[in-house]
Every structure is written in structure tokens, then in C-alpha cells.
Amino acid sequence: MRKLALPFMLAVALNSQVSFAQESQPAPKQPSSFAGTDSAEALREHVPVLPAVRAKYWNIDPAVGYGMKDFGNGVYALSDNGWQSAFLVTDAGVIVFDAPASYGKHIPEAVAKVTNKPIKMLVYSHLHKDHIGGSIAFKNTPGLQIIALDTVSDFLKEMNDPNRLIPTETFKTSKTIKLGGKAVELTRHNYHSNEGDLFIYVPEAKFLMAVDSVTSGYVPFQDFDLSTNFHQYLKMFDEILAYKFDNFIGGHLTDTGTRKDVEITKEYTNDVYQTVKRIHNSLNERAFDAEIAKTIGPDNEFLIFKALLDKVTRDSVAELEPRWINRLAGVDVWLPSHVRAALIYVRWDDKE
Ligand SMILES: [Zn+2]
């Protein structure tokens, strides 16, 4: 929870002299101060996707519903320009990495286009239904092994969701799969989903998949890709870059990536974090709270505190936006949420 000390002390000191509290609550002038993007007026305020990013959109045949790219050494990437997944062809069968809800049902036919080998294994990057909710398509695949983290499996058993098949093999921290002379290294990380995330690495193909980490060409999705652990998210970039890879899949949007995409998202994330930390830590909170209290009184601590968070957010966004608006797509869409995520970390987890 917030640091209550200062406004609380102010309230105690002033409460006996002046009461700003209302006997009965007047109706707020507006139902809510929340300004969403769901009006034509607000939507027109946003900038178009950067031309360099738009130029890399995959051509998706709507009749088929997905596109496919050959990364070499048996690795194929799939995408519908919203979600991304992959599979590996070996002499003894195929290993599928994720089955997005959007096009998962097409994965067996995509595999059949490039090999007549059977699908033998399905690996879950994490438990989110948008990435594995298409696994139902594999329900009748004979002898299919489904591999996931133990914590992911525990959650899925509890959830009992018919669209997410229960794993048949689990592990705690790392596992190397071998099939048809090829190896896949699976390693637990904790940058995104509460029950854990996998790095999926095919060394022979120099291919790395780390879902919901980096969206090549764009800033991360809301709140640093919905990360439940910003501390681990900050470490994730160096953990990715420690691998030797040429092709990268982050699980979303319109392009697969390279080391450069990981490096620029690392630079963006660190810039957001350091900027928020500097602005937050240099604010004189006592003076700020006293100034706010002049208008609304000292007793509405939630409102005083929200005003402080809003000031740090607004000042951080104002500084960061010009630095990034022409480097990554979606800055104007998600930067405020990134600043908020960093602010929560800076105020409650970080050292001074
Ligand atoms: Zn996810």
C-alpha cells in the first residue's frame, strides 16, 4: 500500500481546525474522470503505425487465416499478424510451440504443407489462453505429448478449460527435448505470467521464442506486456540476449524479430524506468501534498495521492514521448501504462 505517513499527519494536524468533508456527498460533475480511447474524437488523437513497421506486415490470405515463414533447419514460424507461434520438423515427427486461440485449428494443416511427419509434441510457452487456447485442435492427435511447466499444469488442471488441453509432461526449471536428432531447450523464466514463462530455444536453427516479451517494431503491450513481475521483466532482455539467435518470436503482432528488436525494447524499457525513477524521487512530496491540500483539504488521502501519481505520470510521459514516438510504434497508445507500471515498481519495490 501507499506511504500514508505524510497526508495522515497533515490530516491529524488540521482536522480539528478545518473540516473539508461534506455532510452529504454532492454528485460528481462528471460520472468519471476516465478518458478512454473509445470515441472517434479520442481515436483521431493517436498517430498511425510507423511506415517502417507497416512495411513488414505479413501477407495473410484471409481464406487461410495465417501466414508461414521458413526459418531453416526445420523451424517454421506462423502468424496471423496478431499472434505468432512456431513448429520444428524432425525426422521422427513435429514439435509444435504454442497453439494460439485465433488460428490454432489451422496448425495441423500448416504442418502438413511442409512435411508428412506426424505431430508428436506440443509445448506451452505459458498458460494464457490466447497462446494455447487453440490446443483443442490437437485433442485427437494420437500419442501427443504436451509439455509445460509444472505450475502451468497445476493451474490448467484446476481451471479444467476444455480449450486448453492438460499437459502430459511437466518440469520445474529446465528440460531438453530430443526428437529425430534435434534438440529443443526449454527454460523457466518469470517475466510475464504469474505461473511462469518458457524460453524455447532450438540451437541448431539459432531460433529463440520468448512469448509476451518483445513485440518487434512496437513498444510492449499494456503495462509492459501485462507483466506480473517488472523486476524480472527488466532482467529479461539480457537473459534473451545471452542466447545465440538470428530469429526471434515474441508471440505478437506483425513481424518476427532479431537481436536488434530486443536491444531497442531494452533501451526503451530502461529509459522509461530511469526517467520515472528520477522524476518520482526528485519530487518534494511534502510540498506537493500541502499544495494539493490547499484546494481540497487534507482529509481525502486517496485523492491527494492520486494527484501525486498523476503528476509523476504526466511529467514522465511528456519527457519520454518525444524521444520514442518515431522509433517504435504504439508509443502514444501504451506509454502512459508503461510509466504507471514502472512507477509501481519504483515506489513499492525499488531501492531509492
Ligand atoms: Zn501471455
Side-chain angles (χ1 to χ4, degrees):
M1 277 298 288
R2 60 161 303 198
K3 293 173 182 171
L4 281 165
L6 175 66
F8 179 71
M9 280 158 54
L10 268 174
V12 169
L14 296 176
N15 223 17
S16 55
Q17 298 159 31
V18 187
S19 176
F20 288 80
Q22 301 289 328
E23 289 287 307
S24 60
Q25 292 285 40
K29 289 202 179 76
Q30 305 268 334
S32 163
S33 63
F34 175 71
T37 54
D38 53 340
S39 70
E41 197 182 18
L43 288 166
R44 277 193 285 269
E45 293 291 309
H46 286 269
V47 299
V49 173
L50 290 171
V53 174
R54 192 176 283 279
K56 291 184 175 174
Y57 280 25
W58 288 26
N59 283 323
I60 308 293
D61 178 354
V64 179
Y66 64 90
M68 183 156 48
K69 256 188 201 174
D70 182 355
F71 278 168
N73 288 90
V75 173
Y76 294 83
L78 297 172
S79 172
D80 61 1
N81 275 335
W83 284 264
Q84 301 169 338
S85 65
F87 62 90
L88 171 67
V89 178
T90 80
D91 290 343
V94 176
I95 308 173
V96 173
F97 308 128
D98 277 357
S102 63
Y103 64 80
K105 63 178 183 294
H106 295 301
I107 293 176
E109 76 198 34
V111 170
K113 280 185 182 171
V114 297
T115 180
N116 55 12
K117 301 287 182 196
I119 294 172
K120 292 280 193 186
M121 297 178 186
L122 170 62
V123 175
Y124 290 164
S125 65
H126 66 302
L127 64 78
H128 283 166
K129 56 191 177 187
D130 58 326
H131 292 280
I132 65 167
S135 65
I136 185 69
F138 299 84
K139 194 173 169 50
N140 298 316
T141 305
L144 181 74
Q145 287 178 275
I146 304 177
I147 301 162
L149 287 167
D150 52 357
T151 40
V152 166
S153 180
D154 289 347
F155 182 96
L156 292 175
K157 280 180 193 158
E158 194 179 317
M159 190 59 78
N160 200 23
D161 176 356
N163 290 316
R164 287 176 283 182
L165 301 181
I166 304 292
T168 60
E169 280 193 37
T170 66
F171 62 98
K172 272 189 194 319
T173 53
S174 63
K175 181 183 179 74
T176 298
I177 301 171
K178 290 195 173 151
L179 187 70
K182 292 188 174 167
V184 182
E185 297 173 11
L186 309 176
T187 312
R188 174 192 283 270
H189 290 264
N190 296 289
Y191 57 88
H192 167 63
S193 163
N194 216 34
E195 289 75 17
D197 319 291
L198 281 186
F199 281 7
I200 298 167
Y201 183 53
V202 184
E204 194 184 331
K206 290 192 176 168
F207 167 74
L208 181 67
M209 183 161 159
V211 171
D212 290 329
S213 59
V214 168
T215 36
S216 303
Y218 300 77
V219 293
F221 181 56
Q222 176 177 300
D223 301 332
F224 286 109
D225 228 323
L226 308 181
S227 176
T228 57
N229 194 333
F230 187 62
H231 187 63
Q232 295 298 325
Y233 188 87
L234 285 170
K235 295 181 196 167
M236 171 198 75
F237 302 101
D238 287 340
E239 290 167 352
I240 290 174
L241 292 167
Y243 284 79
K244 282 186 181 153
F245 67 92
D246 296 328
N247 288 304
F248 172 82
I249 280 192
H252 280 289
L253 292 188
T254 51
D255 192 21
T256 55
T258 63
R259 300 184 74 82
K260 219 176 138 198
D261 293 301
V262 179
E263 281 160 2
I264 192 170
T265 309
K266 175 185 172 180
E267 187 188 337
Y268 170 81
T269 303
N270 282 321
D271 194 15
V272 171
Y273 163 52
Q274 295 295 348
T275 302
V276 170
K277 183 167 181 167
R278 172 171 42 77
I279 289 174
H280 173 270
N281 290 2
S282 63
L283 182 68
N284 182 337
E285 290 192 20
R286 181 176 288 269
F288 181 84
D289 288 356
E291 193 59 34
I292 296 293
K294 281 185 195 169
T295 307
I296 61 161
D299 62 341
N300 193 339
E301 295 194 24
F302 270 175
L303 184 55
I304 292 171
F305 190 52
K306 183 172 187 296
L308 184 143
L309 297 177
D310 285 351
K311 178 176 174 48
V312 175
T313 303
R314 192 174 52 251
D315 290 355
S316 301
V317 169
E319 181 182 322
L320 286 157
E321 190 168 277
R323 282 208 287 274
W324 287 98
I325 194 79
N326 292 316
R327 295 187 69 191
L328 288 168
V331 169
D332 59 328
V333 182
W334 295 128
L335 175 59
S337 87
H338 297 151
V339 165
R340 283 287 189 176
L343 180 52
I344 289 168
Y345 178 72
V346 161
R347 188 164 183 99
W348 283 276
D349 296 308
D350 206 359
K351 55 182 183 282
E352 295 291 310

